[in-house]
C-alpha cells in the first residue's frame, strides 16, 4: 500500500501534467458527478496535492475533486488523443490543452467546495499531512503531547492517521529506528530531547522518502549494502524488511515483530525498551 510520500509524488506528477491548463473535457463515471462535468469545462486546475492517501485536485472556482485510490485505483497520464492501454474501468478523465489525466478503478471520488473539505468524512478524521501542511518540529512535538496521543505506545500511535496523515508501515519502522526509540515507548514517558528527536525523525524520514522515491536509509549505509550486492528492497531501508541482517549502527541483528497487527522491524541494541 503506498504511503504519504508515494501519494504526494503521484500528486506532483498529475500537477505537472495538467495544472494551469484550461479544461476542454471532463468526464465522470459516477452519475452524481456526471451532472457537474459540464460546469468544469473551461475551468483551470490550480493545483494537485495530497492529504494522507487522498488526492485533491483544485479548480480555479474553489471546487476540489477528492479521490482515494484505495487498493486498486491508479491515475494514468497521457496525450489527449492517445488512450492508455489498460483493461481497467475508467472513472475520471480530465483533459486540458492536449494533455490528459485519467483515473481508473477507484470508487471513492467526490466534488467539494474548498471551505467544506473539513466536513469530508475521511479528511475530517485526519491529522495534518507531513508533506502538504508545512508541519514544523515544534508543531509535531505539541501534537505528540496532546492528551489523546501522549499515553499511547508509539508502535500503534504512528499508524494512527489522526496523529499525522501519511505515515504507513515502512515509515513507522524507519522513524522509530532513527529516533532510537522502542515501539512500546509513549510520548508522555519521553524526555524533551527524546521527544524532539522523535519529531525530527518523523519529519526528516518522511521528507527523505518523498525526495528519494521511497529510500529512507542513510546514503553511506545504502552504498555499503549495494557494494555487497544487496537488492534495492534491502538497501533502501535501514531496518524495514531487513530482519536477520546486521544493524548498520551497532552490528546487532535486526528483528521483526508484530505491533498493531502489522509487521515492525527494529534493532534491539539501538532501540531499547522503556
Amino acid at each position: 500500500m503506498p504511503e504519504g510520500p508515494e501519494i504526494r509524488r503521484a500528486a506532483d506528477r498529475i500537477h505537472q501534467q495538467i495544472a494551469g491548463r484550461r479544461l476542454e473535457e471532463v468526464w465522470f463515471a459516477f452519475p452524481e458527478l456526471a451532472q457537474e462535468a459540464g460546469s468544469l469545462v473551461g475551468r483551470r486546475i490550480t493545483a494537485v496535492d495530497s492529504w494522507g492517501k487522498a488526492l485533491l485536485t483544485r479548480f480555479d472556482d474553489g471546487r476540489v475533486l477528492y479521490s482515494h485510490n484505495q487498493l486498486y485505483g491508479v491515475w494514468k497520464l497521457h496525450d489527449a488523443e492517445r488512450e492508455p492501454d489498460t483493461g481497467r474501468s475508467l472513472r475520471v478523465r480530465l483533459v486540458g490543452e492536449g494533455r490528459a489525466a485519467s483515473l481508473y478503478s477507484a470508487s471513492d471520488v467526490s466534488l467539494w467546495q474548498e471551505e467544506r473539505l473539513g466536513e469530508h468524512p475521511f479528511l475530517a478524521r485526519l491529522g495534518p499531512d507531513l508533506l502538504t501542511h508545512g508541519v514544523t518540529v515544534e508543531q509535531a512535538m505539541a501534537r505528540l503531547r496532546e492528551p489523546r496521543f501522549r499515553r499511547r505506545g508509539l508502535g500503534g500511535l504512528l499508524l494512527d492517521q489522526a496523529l499525522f496523515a501519511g505515515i504507513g508501515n515502512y515509515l513507522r519502522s524507519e522513524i522509530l529506528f532513527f529516533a532510537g526509540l522502542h515501539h512500546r515507548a509513549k510520548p508522555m514517558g519521553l524526555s524533551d530531547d527524546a521527544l524532539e528527536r522523535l519529531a525530527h525523525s518523523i519529519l526528516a524520514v518522511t521528507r527523505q522518502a518523498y525526495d528519494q522515491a521511497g529510500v529512507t536509509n542513510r546514503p553511506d549505509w545504502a552504498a555499503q549494502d549495494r557494494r555487497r550486492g544487496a537488492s534495492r528492497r534491502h538497501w533502501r531501508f535501514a531496518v524495514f524488511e531487513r530482519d536477520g541482517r546486521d544493524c548498520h549502527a551497532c552490528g546487532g541483528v535486526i528483528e521483526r515483530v508484530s505491533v498493531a497487527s502489522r509487521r515492525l522491524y527494529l534493532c534491539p541494541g539501538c532501540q531499547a525498551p522503556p
Side-chain angles (χ1 to χ4, degrees):
M1 175 71 73
E3 301 184 19
E6 289 73 40
I7 300 300
R8 182 53 194 261
R9 287 173 69 89
D12 289 349
R13 290 192 293 272
I14 300 168
H15 178 93
Q16 292 168 5
Q17 176 79 349
I18 57 175
R21 295 174 179 269
R22 193 173 298 281
L23 292 170
E24 301 160 338
E25 178 187 343
V26 178
W27 186 88
F28 297 115
F30 310 98
E32 64 274 19
L33 290 179
Q35 59 187 353
E36 303 286 341
S39 67
L40 289 171
V41 173
R43 307 251 58 106
R44 292 186 187 274
I45 292 174
T46 58
V48 181
D49 54 44
S50 60
W51 191 346
K53 297 182 180 181
L55 277 173
L56 302 175
T57 303
R58 302 176 184 274
F59 304 98
D60 63 4
D61 65 351
R63 284 182 288 179
V64 182
L65 182 69
Y66 165 96
S67 63
H68 195 300
N69 287 0
Q70 299 172 306
L71 288 176
Y72 304 110
V74 61
W75 282 92
K76 291 185 176 291
L77 310 180
H78 56 99
D79 292 337
E81 298 80 15
R82 183 178 300 174
E83 293 279 338
D85 184 13
T86 178
R88 292 172 175 265
S89 299
L90 180 63
R91 304 301 192 192
V92 176
R93 175 159 292 165
L94 305 173
V95 181
E97 301 176 26
R99 294 187 182 180
S102 298
L103 176 60
Y104 293 86
S105 302
S107 58
D108 191 2
V109 183
S110 52
L111 195 61
W112 292 76
Q113 292 292 335
E114 169 72 34
E115 63 270 17
R116 294 190 58 212
L117 271 181
E119 302 172 20
H120 188 283
F122 176 73
L123 298 179
R125 301 196 302 268
L126 296 183
D129 186 284
L130 294 164
L131 295 169
T132 299
H133 296 144
V135 180
T136 66
V137 169
E138 293 73 22
Q139 289 169 339
M141 291 176 67
R143 195 160 184 83
L144 287 161
R145 287 189 175 115
E146 289 184 15
R148 56 178 169 156
F149 300 132
R150 64 191 304 268
R151 294 177 175 83
R152 296 174 56 187
L154 294 176
L157 176 59
L158 288 179
L159 292 183
D160 186 345
Q161 300 299 289
L163 176 67
F164 299 113
I167 297 178
N169 214 32
Y170 84 79
L171 286 176
R172 172 180 68 162
S173 291
E174 297 289 286
I175 286 167
L176 289 174
F177 172 75
F178 283 111
L181 295 172
H182 194 271
H183 54 84
R184 289 203 298 270
K186 301 176 181 180
M188 65 181 294
L190 299 179
S191 66
D192 289 345
D193 286 346
L195 192 70
E196 182 176 1
R197 192 168 68 245
L198 172 60
H200 176 78
S201 183
I202 287 170
L203 297 177
V205 172
T206 302
R207 170 58 62 172
Q208 181 180 335
Y210 166 71
D211 289 340
Q212 300 185 22
V215 176
T216 52
N217 204 357
R218 273 178 35 176
D220 55 331
W221 292 350
Q224 184 180 68
D225 271 349
R226 288 197 298 271
R227 287 194 296 270
R228 293 171 177 170
S231 66
R232 185 180 188 276
R233 175 182 174 184
H234 290 122
W235 65 252
R236 65 180 281 203
F237 299 124
V239 290
F240 189 76
E241 292 191 331
R242 295 190 71 248
D243 49 314
R245 294 171 178 259
D246 293 344
C247 171
H248 288 291
C250 74
V253 179
I254 294 169
E255 296 180 356
R256 169 178 168 167
V257 296
S258 179
V259 179
S261 302
R262 305 285 298 279
R263 57 197 171 115
L264 181 145
Y265 299 81
L266 74 156
C267 171
C270 295
Q271 298 169 259

